[in-house]
Amino acid sequence: MRKAVFFDLDNTLYSYDNADDMAQRSLNRFCARQFGLSEEFTGRRIHEIMDQLIEEMGWKQAATHDRLIRFSRFLQDIGQPVFPYAGMMYDIYWDTLIQSMTPEKGVYRFLEELKRRGYYVACATNMLSWIQYRKVRKLGMGGLLEDLITSAEVCTEKPDPEFFRFCVKKAGFQPDECVYIGDNYRLDVLGSREAGLYGILYQTAELAARHEGAEPGAAVIRDYSELEKNLKLIEM
């Protein structure tokens, strides 16, 4: 019997892609004004630095998501001082992203119905804890979630099965009693499946246009508003 439902956060409870696009554009414009850089260069170089950090640290480190580290490296790369610009860039990026977040259609009602039916509902996500906490707070979902577990707390990242085992153990359930819902098939569905949970892909038409889909026969939620259909998928 299914007793717990864990959700990813980014691109699962809200549209990360759209908010990130807005935040990156704000950051690019700042660097254009402050340093005379093209917006294309700033976006491309920061992404390259992100890849470098993953190569240096390994993909299991939540610190690879730390924008302060990325922006400090970027500033050193372009010959600009870390102080005060790294902090300014950090605030511009995250403040813009958080202000630009839009919840996924029907997600509040879906979370409320899960809670009403007695499910333990939590968010379990890669990333740094304070940033994810700020997002949940801005979305107004704190009262609908029992916990927020991040890869910074677990000390490893999805799709490592240990991430999902940690979440299940912390919540006090067995893996086969738990469902994990997320937008990334490899990280969320295959990773949770390997740990013994029931993985469900969340993928709207908009997400499908930008991200990898599921293998044939996999469980997929397309619209949180389809309550009964989604609840049957969880309970099957």
Side-chain angles (χ1 to χ4, degrees), residues 36-99:
L37 302 174
S38 73
E39 295 187 24
E40 185 278 332
F41 172 83
T42 298
R44 174 174 53 81
R45 188 64 190 128
I46 289 175
H47 188 82
E48 290 170 350
I49 288 170
M50 176 191 71
D51 291 339
Q52 290 174 5
L53 289 170
I54 293 172
E55 185 175 351
E56 290 176 18
M57 297 179 180
W59 64 267
K60 292 185 178 183
Q61 301 296 324
T64 60
H65 302 284
D66 193 330
R67 266 54 174 191
L68 191 62
I69 296 174
R70 289 187 201 176
F71 300 154
S72 296
R73 292 282 187 96
F74 172 77
L75 289 163
Q76 291 167 335
D77 186 66
I78 65 172
Q80 295 292 338
V82 169
F83 295 93
Y85 294 124
M88 294 170 67
M89 292 172 66
Y90 181 93
D91 289 341
I92 288 168
Y93 178 82
W94 284 122
D95 289 349
T96 303
L97 186 145
I98 289 169
Q99 289 301 316

Side-chain angles (χ1 to χ4, degrees), residues 92-194:
I92 288 168
Y93 178 82
W94 284 122
D95 289 349
T96 303
L97 186 145
I98 289 169
Q99 289 301 316
S100 303
M101 291 190 307
T102 54
E104 291 297 283
K105 175 187 172 185
V107 67
Y108 292 108
R109 188 179 174 203
F110 186 51
L111 293 172
E112 289 167 354
E113 183 61 20
L114 289 172
K115 292 279 288 182
R116 191 186 71 80
R117 296 194 181 202
Y119 285 99
Y120 176 97
V121 181
C123 180
T125 174
N126 286 351
M127 214 355 188
L128 303 171
S129 298
W130 174 234
I131 291 298
Q132 301 303 68
Y133 183 92
R134 285 182 64 189
K135 292 176 185 176
V136 170
R137 184 176 63 183
K138 177 62 168 61
L139 290 166
M141 293 180 180
L144 298 172
L145 300 172
E146 298 289 341
D147 198 4
L148 169 64
I149 303 170
T150 70
S151 56
E153 177 182 358
V154 184
C155 298
T156 190
E157 295 229 308
K158 300 178 296 180
D160 187 346
E162 287 304 316
F163 174 91
F164 301 98
R165 294 188 187 109
F166 178 98
C167 296
V168 169
K169 183 177 180 181
K170 185 182 182 187
F173 298 100
Q174 295 300 314
D176 61 359
E177 296 175 323
C178 300
V179 174
Y180 190 88
I181 299 172
D183 68 292
N184 188 298
Y185 187 67
R186 182 179 65 86
L187 270 60
D188 300 325
V189 178
L190 297 184
S192 63
R193 183 188 298 174
E194 189 173 348

